Amino acid sequence: MIKKLLIFSLILLYAISAQANISIYPYSVDFEAKGRKRVQTVRIINTSDKPQVYRVSLVNFNQDKNGKLTEVETDDGPYARKYLVFSPRQFRLNPREVQTINVSRRGLNELKDGEYVSHLKIQEVNLGEPAKKDAGDEETVSISLTPLFAVTIPVTIEKGDNLVSKTQVVSYKKLNNDTLSVTLKRLGNKSSRVNLVVLDANNKELGRLDSVKIYTTNSETTVNVKVDGNFSGTILKLEDARTKEEILKQKLDI
């Protein structure tokens, strides 16, 4: 008697971590080719009130001018996936239970200088009850696998001493009384990761959008920032998302 495992009913739905009922730390993984650290860990906590099953994978994205990420199958381009190994690939967590995912990089001797980014995807899945089905002399065991929500974090490999991240404000405009639209441009040869902060004339914070990313598959992105207060004397500040160091400070003519 032969048993076959059939996987079907695949539905992909993406959501933020709060919706997926998981907590993730850290929010990004960064490797340097010349660095000694070859293995890093990501901690996953089930924040729901019931057991959950999670499936882990590495995916590649292209980014458009509005910041939208679209999954692509190719590894040709500025992607890190083929140089990475991770485990486990699937696990079950009880409420408040913690799982560690190990992410390691391979040898990078043949890798050209540059920045390579893929994303670690952690996805809730609902494993349905096994259903037996007769097929002549064979017995088929079918399991319904329904992925629910997923979150992704960037995994970056950097190689070379001449990688530079630069960000420029291209344009801005007031959309309404509480929203500022800002277009940013990446000028360097690596991804741009900035915090966008809106201040009043007294440097009081009126709005903030953290961790705005422009990957090397794109050069510009437009984001909207909610602003608490009027736009009189408004100042726009860019910070390095990792170090919080000020990159740019510009008074807005609105």
Side-chain angles (χ1 to χ4, degrees):
M1 184 178 292
I2 300 173
K3 291 187 177 181
K4 297 180 179 179
L5 184 65
L6 302 181
I7 306 299
F8 61 92
S9 302
L10 184 62
I11 304 170
L12 297 179
L13 296 173
Y14 293 90
I16 62 173
S17 114
Q19 291 173 305
N21 294 314
I22 60 175
S23 175
I24 299 178
Y25 184 82
Y27 299 114
S28 64
V29 175
D30 300 288
F31 290 102
E32 291 186 0
K34 62 181 180 182
R36 294 184 177 180
K37 183 177 287 189
R38 298 184 64 134
V39 180
Q40 298 196 47
T41 60
V42 177
R43 285 167 52 89
I44 308 297
I45 304 175
N46 177 6
T47 59
S48 73
D49 59 359
K50 60 182 179 180
Q52 298 284 356
V53 176
Y54 301 94
R55 177 158 291 183
V56 186
S57 60
L58 277 168
V59 297
N60 295 331
F61 288 120
N62 276 344
Q63 183 183 43
D64 67 17
K65 64 180 181 181
N66 295 315
K68 181 181 177 181
L69 298 176
T70 301
E71 189 172 332
V72 294
E73 292 301 322
T74 181
D75 279 319
D76 295 332
Y79 305 116
R81 181 166 60 183
K82 60 185 177 182
Y83 306 104
L84 298 170
V85 178
F86 66 93
S87 66
R89 294 179 177 270
Q90 184 168 302
F91 53 89
R92 181 181 185 275
L93 289 181
N94 291 319
R96 310 310 303 177
E97 194 173 11
V98 180
Q99 172 70 49
T100 297
I101 300 173
N102 294 313
V103 183
S104 59
R105 67 169 178 82
R106 301 177 185 271
L108 304 175
N109 292 335
E110 298 180 0
L111 184 65
K112 295 181 180 179
D113 286 3
E115 181 197 62
Y116 302 83
V117 182
S118 292
H119 283 70
L120 190 71
K121 180 167 73 171
I122 300 95
Q123 186 158 19
E124 290 183 3
V125 294
N126 179 19
L127 296 177
E129 293 295 326
K132 293 184 179 181
K133 183 179 180 181
D134 292 329
D137 294 332
E138 296 183 353
E139 181 181 298
T140 300
V141 178
S142 299
I143 295 180
S144 177
L145 170 62
T146 308
L148 302 175
F149 300 110
V151 292
T152 63
I153 62 171
V155 183
T156 303
I157 297 174
E158 292 184 3
K159 184 178 182 182
D161 298 322
N162 299 311
L163 301 181
V164 179
S165 176
K166 294 183 179 180
T167 309
Q168 173 182 295
V169 177
V170 176
S171 62
Y172 55 85
K173 63 181 178 180
K174 182 172 69 172
L175 295 183
N176 50 50
N177 291 331
D178 66 352
T179 305
L180 180 68
S181 177
V182 181
T183 298
L184 302 173
K185 184 173 184 178
R186 176 184 58 80
L187 298 176
N189 57 359
K190 60 181 287 187
S191 296
S192 170
R193 305 183 190 182
V194 299
N195 298 332
L196 195 154
V197 187
V198 181
L199 307 169
D200 68 10
N202 297 315
N203 285 322
K204 177 184 176 182
E205 188 172 306
L206 302 177
R208 169 182 286 268
L209 194 60
D210 286 336
S211 195
V212 178
K213 302 179 182 69
I214 310 176
Y215 294 106
T216 54
T217 56
N218 188 31
S219 60
E220 291 188 6
T221 189
T222 299
V223 295
N224 297 331
V225 189
K226 289 292 185 180
V227 178
D228 181 16
N230 62 55
F231 287 87
S232 178
T234 304
I235 298 169
L236 183 64
K237 181 174 75 170
L238 297 184
E239 300 173 341
D240 185 291
R242 296 177 182 175
T243 65
K244 302 298 189 295
E245 179 183 357
E246 183 179 305
I247 299 172
L248 176 149
K249 202 170 185 178
Q250 176 180 342
K251 185 175 180 180
L252 304 183
D253 183 16
I254 297 178

